[in-house]
Amino acid sequence: MESPSRWILLLMILSLISLFFFPATSYADACWMKYFRKDSLVNTYMRAYAVDGENLWVGTNGDGVVVYSGKETKNYSCKNTRSGSSVADGLISDNITSIAIDSRNHRVWIGTNEGLSTCNLDGTDWKRFAAKDGLPNNVIRDVAVDDRGIVWVGTPSGVASFNGEAWKVFTTSTSGLYADSVHSITVKGNTVWVATVDGSVNRFDGETWKAVIHH
């Protein structure tokens, strides 16, 4: 009976040979990370991302948004997205928390620690929203878009939806949400699922909220 150590040694030798003669996968992975850190991302602390066709939208912690197309890289920040010093548009903060693509209306929604921003898929027509515009809180923890193009935002003070004209706020005291401190939002069709910091999961069917999981 052959010793198991001989088989282990043989497997190690074969693994080394395969890495030497067929290094494509490991080399591609190494180059991907190296390329992003050196040539693409201005900040390696990635907090959110979304994919639009071949374009990858990446949110960073302090340096705005980076869009990588495979051929070129664009950076959007508070400084280069405003149309004028006296105009309240552009990216509202460079500290990105979440990103969602609205394919129906061809827009990108970007959550930050100071409010919500949106622009066209080509990085133009910037708009911004904060608590003074109808949001329940300036801190945006998550953002999602349903099949109708309605934008859903999760904050520490409840959920808000935007139909293109006005915001509607959902809280424990006004709408039946189980807890106000929202951690994440997932949309499936037109059904909205909301997870809260206290561990509850809430479901909205378009009319009422129901706590699917709660303590």
Side-chain angles (χ1 to χ4, degrees):
M1 184 175 180
E2 297 185 11
S3 172
S5 60
R6 294 183 59 187
W7 286 104
I8 295 174
L9 179 60
L10 179 61
L11 287 173
M12 291 177 63
I13 294 173
L14 290 174
S15 298
L16 291 172
I17 292 174
S18 66
L19 286 174
F20 181 79
F21 287 101
F22 306 100
T25 300
S26 59
Y27 179 73
D29 290 342
C31 283
W32 174 264
M33 293 301 295
K34 181 180 179 180
Y35 183 80
F36 257 56
R37 290 176 181 174
K38 180 179 179 181
D39 302 310
S40 294
L41 289 178
V42 293
N43 186 315
T44 57
Y45 188 0
M46 296 173 288
R47 301 184 69 175
Y49 70 92
V51 178
D52 165 46
E54 296 298 322
N55 293 330
L56 176 65
W57 292 68
V58 179
T60 71
N61 183 35
D63 288 301
V65 177
V66 177
V67 182
Y68 175 71
S69 67
K71 297 180 180 179
E72 62 177 350
T73 302
K74 296 181 180 179
N75 174 240
Y76 299 115
S77 67
C78 292
K79 293 182 179 180
N80 65 18
T81 54
R82 295 188 65 178
S83 57
S85 59
S86 61
V87 182
D89 62 1
L91 188 61
I92 198 168
S93 170
D94 289 332
N95 292 289
I96 312 303
T97 59
S98 54
I99 302 178
I101 302 294
D102 179 5
S103 300
R104 182 186 182 94
N105 296 305
H106 309 289
R107 298 194 69 84
V108 181
W109 291 85
I110 304 168
T112 78
N113 64 339
E114 296 182 24
L116 184 71
S117 291
T118 178
C119 67
N120 286 335
L121 293 177
D122 59 1
T124 61
D125 187 31
W126 285 85
K127 299 177 182 179
R128 56 170 62 176
F129 302 91
K132 63 182 179 62
D133 302 305
L135 289 174
N137 195 301
N138 283 334
V139 176
I140 309 300
R141 286 183 175 157
D142 203 4
V143 58
V145 183
D146 68 20
D147 288 348
R148 297 167 295 177
I150 295 178
V151 181
W152 294 86
V153 176
T155 78
S157 305
V159 176
S161 66
F162 185 68
N163 61 7
E165 297 180 359
W167 288 98
K168 183 177 181 180
V169 176
F170 303 89
T171 64
T172 56
S173 60
T174 63
S175 309
L177 193 65
Y178 187 81
D180 286 336
S181 188
V182 175
H183 180 268
S184 59
I185 295 181
T186 298
V187 174
K188 184 68 174 180
N190 294 324
T191 302
V192 182
W193 297 82
V194 172
T196 63
V197 173
D198 72 340
S200 69
V201 176
N202 304 257
R203 180 179 181 270
F204 185 67
D205 60 8
E207 295 183 1
T208 59
W209 287 94
K210 180 180 179 181
V212 180
I213 299 174
H214 63 83
H215 297 289

